[in-house]
PDB file of all heavy atoms in Angstrom:
ATOM      1  N   ALA T 168      67.225  92.742 109.441  1.00  0.00           N
ATOM      2  CA  ALA T 168      68.528  92.148 109.742  1.00  0.00           C
ATOM      3  C   ALA T 168      68.510  90.642 109.496  1.00  0.00           C
ATOM      4  O   ALA T 168      69.443  90.090 108.893  1.00  0.00           O
ATOM      5  CB  ALA T 168      68.916  92.438 111.190  1.00  0.00           C
ATOM      6  N   VAL T 169      67.457  89.975 109.934  1.00  0.00           N
ATOM      7  CA  VAL T 169      67.359  88.528 109.747  1.00  0.00           C
ATOM      8  C   VAL T 169      67.330  88.180 108.266  1.00  0.00           C
ATOM      9  O   VAL T 169      68.058  87.288 107.806  1.00  0.00           O
ATOM     10  CB  VAL T 169      66.113  87.971 110.483  1.00  0.00           C
ATOM     11  CG1 VAL T 169      65.813  86.554 110.053  1.00  0.00           C
ATOM     12  CG2 VAL T 169      66.320  88.019 111.986  1.00  0.00           C
ATOM     13  N   LEU T 170      66.510  88.868 107.482  1.00  0.00           N
ATOM     14  CA  LEU T 170      66.445  88.585 106.046  1.00  0.00           C
ATOM     15  C   LEU T 170      67.775  88.866 105.356  1.00  0.00           C
ATOM     16  O   LEU T 170      68.210  88.100 104.492  1.00  0.00           O
ATOM     17  CB  LEU T 170      65.333  89.388 105.377  1.00  0.00           C
ATOM     18  CG  LEU T 170      63.899  88.963 105.687  1.00  0.00           C
ATOM     19  CD1 LEU T 170      62.919  89.810 104.897  1.00  0.00           C
ATOM     20  CD2 LEU T 170      63.686  87.483 105.411  1.00  0.00           C
ATOM     21  N   THR T 171      68.415  89.945 105.743  1.00  0.00           N
ATOM     22  CA  THR T 171      69.705  90.289 105.131  1.00  0.00           C
ATOM     23  C   THR T 171      70.745  89.216 105.433  1.00  0.00           C
ATOM     24  O   THR T 171      71.446  88.746 104.528  1.00  0.00           O
ATOM     25  CB  THR T 171      70.197  91.658 105.640  1.00  0.00           C
ATOM     26  OG1 THR T 171      69.225  92.636 105.292  1.00  0.00           O
ATOM     27  CG2 THR T 171      71.536  92.017 105.031  1.00  0.00           C
ATOM     28  N   LEU T 172      70.833  88.809 106.674  1.00  0.00           N
ATOM     29  CA  LEU T 172      71.827  87.800 107.040  1.00  0.00           C
ATOM     30  C   LEU T 172      71.503  86.434 106.442  1.00  0.00           C
ATOM     31  O   LEU T 172      72.397  85.743 105.949  1.00  0.00           O
ATOM     32  CB  LEU T 172      71.927  87.692 108.566  1.00  0.00           C
ATOM     33  CG  LEU T 172      72.528  88.907 109.263  1.00  0.00           C
ATOM     34  CD1 LEU T 172      72.368  88.785 110.774  1.00  0.00           C
ATOM     35  CD2 LEU T 172      73.981  89.085 108.881  1.00  0.00           C
ATOM     36  N   ARG T 173      70.233  86.064 106.450  1.00  0.00           N
ATOM     37  CA  ARG T 173      69.860  84.736 105.950  1.00  0.00           C
ATOM     38  C   ARG T 173      69.954  84.630 104.435  1.00  0.00           C
ATOM     39  O   ARG T 173      70.462  83.653 103.913  1.00  0.00           O
ATOM     40  CB  ARG T 173      68.428  84.395 106.386  1.00  0.00           C
ATOM     41  CG  ARG T 173      68.271  84.155 107.866  1.00  0.00           C
ATOM     42  CD  ARG T 173      68.725  82.779 108.304  1.00  0.00           C
ATOM     43  NE  ARG T 173      67.824  81.783 107.769  1.00  0.00           N
ATOM     44  CZ  ARG T 173      68.225  80.734 107.060  1.00  0.00           C
ATOM     45  NH1 ARG T 173      69.484  80.541 106.823  1.00  0.00           N
ATOM     46  NH2 ARG T 173      67.363  79.866 106.603  1.00  0.00           N
ATOM     47  N   TYR T 174      69.445  85.645 103.717  1.00  0.00           N
ATOM     48  CA  TYR T 174      69.316  85.494 102.268  1.00  0.00           C
ATOM     49  C   TYR T 174      70.338  86.288 101.462  1.00  0.00           C
ATOM     50  O   TYR T 174      70.715  85.868 100.378  1.00  0.00           O
ATOM     51  CB  TYR T 174      67.894  85.849 101.835  1.00  0.00           C
ATOM     52  CG  TYR T 174      66.899  84.911 102.465  1.00  0.00           C
ATOM     53  CD1 TYR T 174      66.095  85.316 103.516  1.00  0.00           C
ATOM     54  CD2 TYR T 174      66.821  83.590 102.044  1.00  0.00           C
ATOM     55  CE1 TYR T 174      65.209  84.440 104.115  1.00  0.00           C
ATOM     56  CE2 TYR T 174      65.946  82.705 102.641  1.00  0.00           C
ATOM     57  CZ  TYR T 174      65.137  83.125 103.679  1.00  0.00           C
ATOM     58  OH  TYR T 174      64.276  82.248 104.272  1.00  0.00           O
ATOM     59  N   GLU T 176      73.450  87.483 102.891  1.00  0.00           N
ATOM     60  CA  GLU T 176      74.757  86.995 103.346  1.00  0.00           C
ATOM     61  C   GLU T 176      74.834  85.467 103.342  1.00  0.00           C
ATOM     62  O   GLU T 176      75.895  84.900 103.568  1.00  0.00           O
ATOM     63  CB  GLU T 176      75.069  87.519 104.750  1.00  0.00           C
ATOM     64  CG  GLU T 176      75.158  89.031 104.841  1.00  0.00           C
ATOM     65  CD  GLU T 176      76.342  89.588 104.067  1.00  0.00           C
ATOM     66  OE1 GLU T 176      77.378  88.897 103.981  1.00  0.00           O
ATOM     67  OE2 GLU T 176      76.226  90.698 103.544  1.00  0.00           O
ATOM     68  N   ASP T 177      73.703  84.793 103.133  1.00  0.00           N
ATOM     69  CA  ASP T 177      73.618  83.338 103.027  1.00  0.00           C
ATOM     70  C   ASP T 177      74.132  82.630 104.284  1.00  0.00           C
ATOM     71  O   ASP T 177      74.859  81.646 104.207  1.00  0.00           O
ATOM     72  CB  ASP T 177      74.370  82.855 101.784  1.00  0.00           C
ATOM     73  CG  ASP T 177      73.909  81.474 101.347  1.00  0.00           C
ATOM     74  OD1 ASP T 177      72.742  81.126 101.630  1.00  0.00           O
ATOM     75  OD2 ASP T 177      74.716  80.742 100.738  1.00  0.00           O
ATOM     76  N   LEU T 178      73.753  83.163 105.442  1.00  0.00           N
ATOM     77  CA  LEU T 178      74.152  82.541 106.704  1.00  0.00           C
ATOM     78  C   LEU T 178      73.086  81.552 107.155  1.00  0.00           C
ATOM     79  O   LEU T 178      71.910  81.676 106.817  1.00  0.00           O
ATOM     80  CB  LEU T 178      74.342  83.601 107.790  1.00  0.00           C
ATOM     81  CG  LEU T 178      75.446  84.632 107.559  1.00  0.00           C
ATOM     82  CD1 LEU T 178      75.522  85.595 108.729  1.00  0.00           C
ATOM     83  CD2 LEU T 178      76.793  83.958 107.339  1.00  0.00           C
ATOM     84  N   SER T 179      73.487  80.593 107.955  1.00  0.00           N
ATOM     85  CA  SER T 179      72.539  79.622 108.502  1.00  0.00           C
ATOM     86  C   SER T 179      71.750  80.281 109.632  1.00  0.00           C
ATOM     87  O   SER T 179      72.081  81.373 110.105  1.00  0.00           O
ATOM     88  CB  SER T 179      73.297  78.418 109.049  1.00  0.00           C
ATOM     89  OG  SER T 179      74.038  78.801 110.197  1.00  0.00           O
ATOM     90  N   VAL T 180      70.717  79.570 110.075  1.00  0.00           N
ATOM     91  CA  VAL T 180      69.911  80.069 111.194  1.00  0.00           C
ATOM     92  C   VAL T 180      70.788  80.227 112.426  1.00  0.00           C
ATOM     93  O   VAL T 180      70.704  81.229 113.142  1.00  0.00           O
ATOM     94  CB  VAL T 180      68.723  79.111 111.473  1.00  0.00           C
ATOM     95  CG1 VAL T 180      67.990  79.489 112.744  1.00  0.00           C
ATOM     96  CG2 VAL T 180      67.764  79.076 110.291  1.00  0.00           C
ATOM     97  N   GLU T 181      71.660  79.253 112.659  1.00  0.00           N
ATOM     98  CA  GLU T 181      72.533  79.282 113.832  1.00  0.00           C
ATOM     99  C   GLU T 181      73.525  80.455 113.759  1.00  0.00           C
ATOM    100  O   GLU T 181      73.748  81.147 114.764  1.00  0.00           O
ATOM    101  CB  GLU T 181      73.302  77.957 113.966  1.00  0.00           C
ATOM    102  CG  GLU T 181      72.445  76.754 114.298  1.00  0.00           C
ATOM    103  CD  GLU T 181      71.680  76.204 113.095  1.00  0.00           C
ATOM    104  OE1 GLU T 181      72.041  76.520 111.926  1.00  0.00           O
ATOM    105  OE2 GLU T 181      70.704  75.478 113.311  1.00  0.00           O
ATOM    106  N   GLN T 182      74.112  80.674 112.592  1.00  0.00           N
ATOM    107  CA  GLN T 182      75.052  81.781 112.434  1.00  0.00           C
ATOM    108  C   GLN T 182      74.349  83.121 112.610  1.00  0.00           C
ATOM    109  O   GLN T 182      74.883  84.038 113.247  1.00  0.00           O
ATOM    110  CB  GLN T 182      75.704  81.731 111.047  1.00  0.00           C
ATOM    111  CG  GLN T 182      76.647  80.569 110.854  1.00  0.00           C
ATOM    112  CD  GLN T 182      77.048  80.406 109.397  1.00  0.00           C
ATOM    113  OE1 GLN T 182      76.248  80.588 108.492  1.00  0.00           O
ATOM    114  NE2 GLN T 182      78.308  80.038 109.180  1.00  0.00           N
ATOM    115  N   THR T 183      73.145  83.227 112.076  1.00  0.00           N
ATOM    116  CA  THR T 183      72.368  84.456 112.210  1.00  0.00           C
ATOM    117  C   THR T 183      72.031  84.720 113.673  1.00  0.00           C
ATOM    118  O   THR T 183      72.176  85.841 114.162  1.00  0.00           O
ATOM    119  CB  THR T 183      71.077  84.378 111.361  1.00  0.00           C
ATOM    120  OG1 THR T 183      71.443  84.136 110.004  1.00  0.00           O
ATOM    121  CG2 THR T 183      70.266  85.647 111.460  1.00  0.00           C
ATOM    122  N   ALA T 184      71.612  83.672 114.369  1.00  0.00           N
ATOM    123  CA  ALA T 184      71.284  83.815 115.791  1.00  0.00           C
ATOM    124  C   ALA T 184      72.510  84.255 116.588  1.00  0.00           C
ATOM    125  O   ALA T 184      72.409  85.135 117.458  1.00  0.00           O
ATOM    126  CB  ALA T 184      70.737  82.497 116.332  1.00  0.00           C
ATOM    127  N   ALA T 185      73.660  83.671 116.288  1.00  0.00           N
ATOM    128  CA  ALA T 185      74.886  84.041 116.998  1.00  0.00           C
ATOM    129  C   ALA T 185      75.242  85.504 116.740  1.00  0.00           C
ATOM    130  O   ALA T 185      75.618  86.229 117.667  1.00  0.00           O
ATOM    131  CB  ALA T 185      76.034  83.128 116.577  1.00  0.00           C
ATOM    132  N   LEU T 186      75.120  85.945 115.493  1.00  0.00           N
ATOM    133  CA  LEU T 186      75.449  87.335 115.166  1.00  0.00           C
ATOM    134  C   LEU T 186      74.497  88.319 115.823  1.00  0.00           C
ATOM    135  O   LEU T 186      74.904  89.388 116.269  1.00  0.00           O
ATOM    136  CB  LEU T 186      75.425  87.547 113.659  1.00  0.00           C
ATOM    137  CG  LEU T 186      76.709  87.220 112.926  1.00  0.00           C
ATOM    138  CD1 LEU T 186      76.502  87.289 111.430  1.00  0.00           C
ATOM    139  CD2 LEU T 186      77.819  88.156 113.322  1.00  0.00           C
ATOM    140  N   LEU T 187      73.224  87.965 115.872  1.00  0.00           N
ATOM    141  CA  LEU T 187      72.227  88.879 116.440  1.00  0.00           C
ATOM    142  C   LEU T 187      72.079  88.722 117.952  1.00  0.00           C
ATOM    143  O   LEU T 187      71.388  89.516 118.586  1.00  0.00           O
ATOM    144  CB  LEU T 187      70.865  88.666 115.761  1.00  0.00           C
ATOM    145  CG  LEU T 187      70.798  89.010 114.277  1.00  0.00           C
ATOM    146  CD1 LEU T 187      69.425  88.693 113.719  1.00  0.00           C
ATOM    147  CD2 LEU T 187      71.148  90.472 114.052  1.00  0.00           C
ATOM    148  N   GLY T 188      72.699  87.681 118.506  1.00  0.00           N
ATOM    149  CA  GLY T 188      72.622  87.467 119.945  1.00  0.00           C
ATOM    150  C   GLY T 188      71.230  87.063 120.398  1.00  0.00           C
ATOM    151  O   GLY T 188      70.718  87.555 121.413  1.00  0.00           O
ATOM    152  N   CYS T 189      70.591  86.163 119.654  1.00  0.00           N
ATOM    153  CA  CYS T 189      69.249  85.688 120.010  1.00  0.00           C
ATOM    154  C   CYS T 189      69.181  84.184 119.785  1.00  0.00           C
ATOM    155  O   CYS T 189      70.149  83.559 119.364  1.00  0.00           O
ATOM    156  CB  CYS T 189      68.188  86.419 119.198  1.00  0.00           C
ATOM    157  SG  CYS T 189      68.299  86.155 117.422  1.00  0.00           S
ATOM    158  N   HIS T 190      68.037  83.600 120.051  1.00  0.00           N
ATOM    159  CA  HIS T 190      67.842  82.159 119.881  1.00  0.00           C
ATOM    160  C   HIS T 190      67.524  81.834 118.425  1.00  0.00           C
ATOM    161  O   HIS T 190      67.012  82.680 117.685  1.00  0.00           O
ATOM    162  CB  HIS T 190      66.698  81.665 120.770  1.00  0.00           C
ATOM    163  CG  HIS T 190      66.985  81.823 122.226  1.00  0.00           C
ATOM    164  ND1 HIS T 190      67.846  80.998 122.906  1.00  0.00           N
ATOM    165  CD2 HIS T 190      66.534  82.722 123.128  1.00  0.00           C
ATOM    166  CE1 HIS T 190      67.912  81.375 124.163  1.00  0.00           C
ATOM    167  NE2 HIS T 190      67.130  82.425 124.328  1.00  0.00           N
ATOM    168  N   THR T 191      67.781  80.592 118.054  1.00  0.00           N
ATOM    169  CA  THR T 191      67.481  80.165 116.686  1.00  0.00           C
ATOM    170  C   THR T 191      65.985  80.233 116.413  1.00  0.00           C
ATOM    171  O   THR T 191      65.573  80.518 115.291  1.00  0.00           O
ATOM    172  CB  THR T 191      67.999  78.737 116.424  1.00  0.00           C
ATOM    173  OG1 THR T 191      67.448  77.854 117.392  1.00  0.00           O
ATOM    174  CG2 THR T 191      69.515  78.692 116.475  1.00  0.00           C
ATOM    175  N   GLY T 192      65.177  79.999 117.418  1.00  0.00           N
ATOM    176  CA  GLY T 192      63.723  80.095 117.248  1.00  0.00           C
ATOM    177  C   GLY T 192      63.293  81.518 116.911  1.00  0.00           C
ATOM    178  O   GLY T 192      62.358  81.731 116.127  1.00  0.00           O
ATOM    179  N   THR T 193      63.987  82.486 117.488  1.00  0.00           N
ATOM    180  CA  THR T 193      63.693  83.889 117.183  1.00  0.00           C
ATOM    181  C   THR T 193      64.012  84.190 115.727  1.00  0.00           C
ATOM    182  O   THR T 193      63.243  84.862 115.039  1.00  0.00           O
ATOM    183  CB  THR T 193      64.507  84.818 118.106  1.00  0.00           C
ATOM    184  OG1 THR T 193      64.224  84.486 119.460  1.00  0.00           O
ATOM    185  CG2 THR T 193      64.183  86.266 117.854  1.00  0.00           C
ATOM    186  N   VAL T 194      65.133  83.668 115.250  1.00  0.00           N
ATOM    187  CA  VAL T 194      65.510  83.873 113.859  1.00  0.00           C
ATOM    188  C   VAL T 194      64.447  83.262 112.946  1.00  0.00           C
ATOM    189  O   VAL T 194      63.997  83.891 111.986  1.00  0.00           O
ATOM    190  CB  VAL T 194      66.907  83.271 113.556  1.00  0.00           C
ATOM    191  CG1 VAL T 194      67.199  83.282 112.056  1.00  0.00           C
ATOM    192  CG2 VAL T 194      67.977  84.022 114.310  1.00  0.00           C
ATOM    193  N   ALA T 195      64.027  82.052 113.263  1.00  0.00           N
ATOM    194  CA  ALA T 195      63.033  81.380 112.432  1.00  0.00           C
ATOM    195  C   ALA T 195      61.711  82.143 112.426  1.00  0.00           C
ATOM    196  O   ALA T 195      61.106  82.351 111.371  1.00  0.00           O
ATOM    197  CB  ALA T 195      62.818  79.951 112.921  1.00  0.00           C
ATOM    198  N   SER T 196      61.265  82.584 113.595  1.00  0.00           N
ATOM    199  CA  SER T 196      59.978  83.292 113.657  1.00  0.00           C
ATOM    200  C   SER T 196      60.060  84.659 112.979  1.00  0.00           C
ATOM    201  O   SER T 196      59.124  85.059 112.270  1.00  0.00           O
ATOM    202  CB  SER T 196      59.496  83.440 115.105  1.00  0.00           C
ATOM    203  OG  SER T 196      60.322  84.337 115.820  1.00  0.00           O
ATOM    204  N   GLN T 197      61.174  85.366 113.164  1.00  0.00           N
ATOM    205  CA  GLN T 197      61.341  86.672 112.513  1.00  0.00           C
ATOM    206  C   GLN T 197      61.429  86.523 110.989  1.00  0.00           C
ATOM    207  O   GLN T 197      60.902  87.353 110.247  1.00  0.00           O
ATOM    208  CB  GLN T 197      62.575  87.392 113.049  1.00  0.00           C
ATOM    209  CG  GLN T 197      62.456  87.845 114.486  1.00  0.00           C
ATOM    210  CD  GLN T 197      61.348  88.869 114.680  1.00  0.00           C
ATOM    211  OE1 GLN T 197      61.298  89.884 113.991  1.00  0.00           O
ATOM    212  NE2 GLN T 197      60.441  88.584 115.593  1.00  0.00           N
ATOM    213  N   THR T 198      62.075  85.461 110.537  1.00  0.00           N
ATOM    214  CA  THR T 198      62.150  85.197 109.096  1.00  0.00           C
ATOM    215  C   THR T 198      60.763  84.932 108.536  1.00  0.00           C
ATOM    216  O   THR T 198      60.382  85.491 107.498  1.00  0.00           O
ATOM    217  CB  THR T 198      63.063  83.989 108.810  1.00  0.00           C
ATOM    218  OG1 THR T 198      64.360  84.260 109.339  1.00  0.00           O
ATOM    219  CG2 THR T 198      63.153  83.691 107.329  1.00  0.00           C
ATOM    220  N   SER T 199      60.007  84.107 109.227  1.00  0.00           N
ATOM    221  CA  SER T 199      58.653  83.784 108.774  1.00  0.00           C
ATOM    222  C   SER T 199      57.771  85.025 108.719  1.00  0.00           C
ATOM    223  O   SER T 199      57.069  85.268 107.732  1.00  0.00           O
ATOM    224  CB  SER T 199      58.036  82.734 109.707  1.00  0.00           C
ATOM    225  OG  SER T 199      56.705  82.483 109.355  1.00  0.00           O
ATOM    226  N   LEU T 202      58.969  87.391 105.798  1.00  0.00           N
ATOM    227  CA  LEU T 202      58.575  86.915 104.471  1.00  0.00           C
ATOM    228  C   LEU T 202      57.073  87.053 104.257  1.00  0.00           C
ATOM    229  O   LEU T 202      56.624  87.412 103.167  1.00  0.00           O
ATOM    230  CB  LEU T 202      59.021  85.466 104.271  1.00  0.00           C
ATOM    231  CG  LEU T 202      60.524  85.249 104.133  1.00  0.00           C
ATOM    232  CD1 LEU T 202      60.855  83.763 104.081  1.00  0.00           C
ATOM    233  CD2 LEU T 202      61.065  85.966 102.904  1.00  0.00           C
TER     234      LEU T 202
END
Side-chain angles (χ1 to χ4, degrees):
V169 167
L170 289 183
T171 300
L172 292 171
R173 291 281 292 127
Y174 298 105
E176 298 294 328
D177 201 27
L178 297 181
S179 68
V180 172
E181 293 78 18
Q182 291 169 322
T183 303
L186 274 172
L187 295 177
C189 62
H190 296 285
T191 56
T193 304
V194 171
S196 69
Q197 291 297 307
T198 302
S199 175
L202 290 174

